[in-house]
Amino acid sequence: MVLLRCRCVAFGRTQCRRLSSSAVSYSARRVVITGLGVVSPVGCSVAKAWTTILSGTSAIGRLEGSGYEKLPCRVAGQIRGDELDVGDYFGKSELKTMARATALALIAAKEALDGAKWTPEDVESCQRTGVAIGMGMIDLMDVCETNEALKKGYNRLSIKYGFRGPNHSVSTACATGAHSIGDAFRFIRYGDADVMVCGGAEASISPLGIAGFCRLRALSTSFNEEPQKSSRPFDAAREGFVMGEGSAILVLEELEHAKVRGADIVGEILGYGLSGDASHLTAPREDGTGAMLAMSRALKDAHLSPKDIGYVNAHATSTPIGDAIEARSIRTLFNGTSERVAVSSTKGAHGHLLGAAGNLEALFTVLACLKGKLPPTINLETIPEEMQDMNLVPNEAQDWNPSSGRRIALKNSFGFGGTNACLCIAEYKE
């Protein structure tokens, strides 16, 4: 027999429940989502961000300041000052010892933990709660000015809440957020934790950061006078990505643990797939096999087939090469039936959050499964000929009402260097 113990916040007492060993075996441990939190260009709460995404509104704006005046790209997805002031959450002395990305992660984590109603105080619950939060690229200005803030920043969340389970920090370029969620999913599935706080954060918009990606010829440069049109995934006029900043945090939980304490369940993680391109420093493999391997492995891990999937939340960053290869990979995966699967990218609204992209978009995928609404791909004015057989959810949200079964989606996330991740996310059903 195994003793499962948790603190039930709703009733203000500790509840215990005995479960048979088979009920919590690795193969049977289901991982559900009980909390969501977000700080992003499209909103600094889950409700606000989701409303903005469904509205098809872009939050991309002009970069102001003399440091940006001579750069080829002068647009980005920034968190508006009237939406969020980190000074309202932390004292001046605290802010001196943490990077901005760390502050954003802490703010998003509070919303997620509040939503999950998970604030354990007993030793056992704290020991069974872990943290997996990553950062794709640190603010280069921090490197130049002070690296002490980042030295003290990575483990702040586990210290703040006293979580003593797995303490994991991922940095896999633009796949960081998805890898963090996937690794947390496995920690719970394999019994290393009962609850994981996971996601990623990014706050690297600066003249130096923009200049670096400009040198790589990766950013959009033709829409400086029309910022809201600059990020345009899949569109024929796409020319590069737009940098964004923010954080999204998910609280994952073992199903029986969540049920015992009466937690609200908003979704479920069914599978996780990873792959490597082994090809090029920045460009994905032209044949799309890296993306294909990640998606097919996520399906295999979830014991599903492509016919079970109704939606793919694409990585599509608005680059000419990357978007085309991902679209080709999706069409290959669904083998002639891609027209029945909805595919969209929300990056047109918030830009590319680099290491925090996969987790922010996973959060939107969770909400799509929960609410039955497909987020649109905005700025999709001309669909390329090779993608015209696909439902790219152009410019307006669509209802998602599967004819049978549950709503199940794939979330793709691909990073420079050829590191790929895919999450299989579903609405929760008993």
Side-chain angles (χ1 to χ4, degrees), residues 72 110 112 177 199 201 232 234 249 261 267 270 292 299 334 361-362 386 391 404 424:
K110 184 180 187 305
R232 40 199 318 114
F234 296 123
I249 302 295
R261 69 184 191 87
L270 301 181
M292 269 287 298
L299 287 172
F334 289 95
E361 294 153 22
E386 67 272 20
N391 174 15
S404 62
C424 186

Side-chain angles (χ1 to χ4, degrees), residues 138 141-154:
I138 62 173
M141 297 305 294
D142 278 334
V143 176
C144 296
E145 297 172 6
T146 171
N147 67 352
E148 294 303 315
L150 287 172
K151 287 181 181 178
K152 299 173 182 178
Y154 287 120

Side-chain angles (χ1 to χ4, degrees), residues 96-109:
K96 287 180 180 178
T97 61
M98 71 171 78
R100 175 174 166 81
T102 302
L104 299 181
L106 286 167
I107 295 168

Side-chain angles (χ1 to χ4, degrees), residues 64-375:
E64 304 293 344
S66 59
Y68 299 105
E69 289 177 356
K70 296 182 179 180
L71 295 180
C73 174
R74 297 188 295 279
V75 297
Q78 294 179 291
I79 297 169
R80 289 168 38 192
D82 58 350
E83 284 277 340
L84 178 76
D85 183 352
V86 295
D88 294 338
Y89 294 84
F90 308 99
K92 291 183 179 179
S93 59
E94 286 183 289
L95 289 174
K96 287 180 180 178
T97 61
M98 71 171 78
R100 175 174 166 81
T102 302
L104 299 181
L106 286 167
I107 295 168
K110 184 180 187 305
E111 183 184 17
L113 289 165
D114 286 349
K117 297 182 175 62
W118 184 243
T119 54
E121 296 175 356
D122 62 284
V123 172
E124 186 175 352
S125 292
C126 289
Q127 290 178 345
R128 299 289 298 168
T129 301
V131 175
I133 296 178
M135 189 183 302
M137 187 181 89
I138 62 173
D139 186 348
L140 298 180
M141 297 305 294
D142 278 334
V143 176
C144 296
E145 297 172 6
T146 171
N147 67 352
E148 294 303 315
L150 287 172
K151 287 181 181 178
K152 299 173 182 178
Y154 287 120
N155 58 358
R156 276 190 173 272
L157 199 148
S158 61
I159 292 172
K160 177 178 176 65
Y161 292 101
F163 297 154
R164 290 187 275 171
N167 194 332
H168 188 56
S169 183
V170 180
S171 185
T172 50
C174 304
T176 294
H179 277 142
S180 296
I181 296 170
D183 292 351
F185 161 71
R186 287 187 173 177
F187 289 147
I188 295 174
R189 176 192 270 181
Y190 297 143
D192 296 310
D194 293 324
V195 181
M196 289 294 300
V197 182
C198 58
E202 201 74 78
S204 53
I205 297 173
S206 68
L208 190 57
I210 296 289
F213 281 112
C214 283
R215 288 295 298 271
L216 288 174
R217 300 181 184 275
L219 298 183
S220 172
T221 59
S222 299
F223 295 89
N224 290 327
E225 303 307 317
E226 297 179 289
Q228 292 189 327
K229 293 186 177 182
S230 57
S231 182
R232 40 199 318 114
F234 296 123
D235 185 71
R238 68 189 186 277
E239 53 157 8
F241 73 81
V242 175
M243 284 180 68
E245 63 177 358
S247 177
I249 302 295
L250 281 66
V251 177
L252 306 188
E253 193 164 347
E254 193 274 325
L255 174 60
E256 293 301 321
H257 187 278
K259 289 168 68 174
V260 165
R261 69 184 191 87
D264 292 330
I265 297 172
V266 298
E268 183 172 2
I269 307 291
L270 301 181
Y272 174 39
L274 308 87
S275 72
D277 282 354
S279 176
H280 189 269
L281 180 63
T282 57
R285 291 183 65 94
E286 289 189 11
D287 60 7
T289 54
M292 269 287 298
L293 283 171
M295 289 187 285
S296 60
R297 287 168 179 171
L299 287 172
K300 181 179 180 181
D301 191 41
H303 304 289
L304 297 173
S305 69
K307 67 180 177 58
D308 298 307
I309 304 301
Y311 172 55
V312 178
N313 185 287
H315 178 68
T317 63
S318 187
T319 60
I321 295 175
D323 291 14
I325 291 174
E326 184 176 9
R328 189 180 311 137
S329 299
I330 292 169
R331 292 170 69 223
T332 301
L333 177 71
F334 289 95
N335 192 26
T337 63
S338 58
E339 71 281 353
R340 68 164 188 82
V341 181
V343 179
S344 73
S345 169
T346 60
K347 286 186 175 76
H350 50 69
H352 185 11
L353 272 65
L354 306 178
N359 47 303
L360 176 63
E361 294 153 22
L363 183 147
F364 293 142
T365 307
V366 171
L367 292 173
C369 292
L370 176 67
K371 306 289 189 181
K373 288 286 186 180
L374 296 169

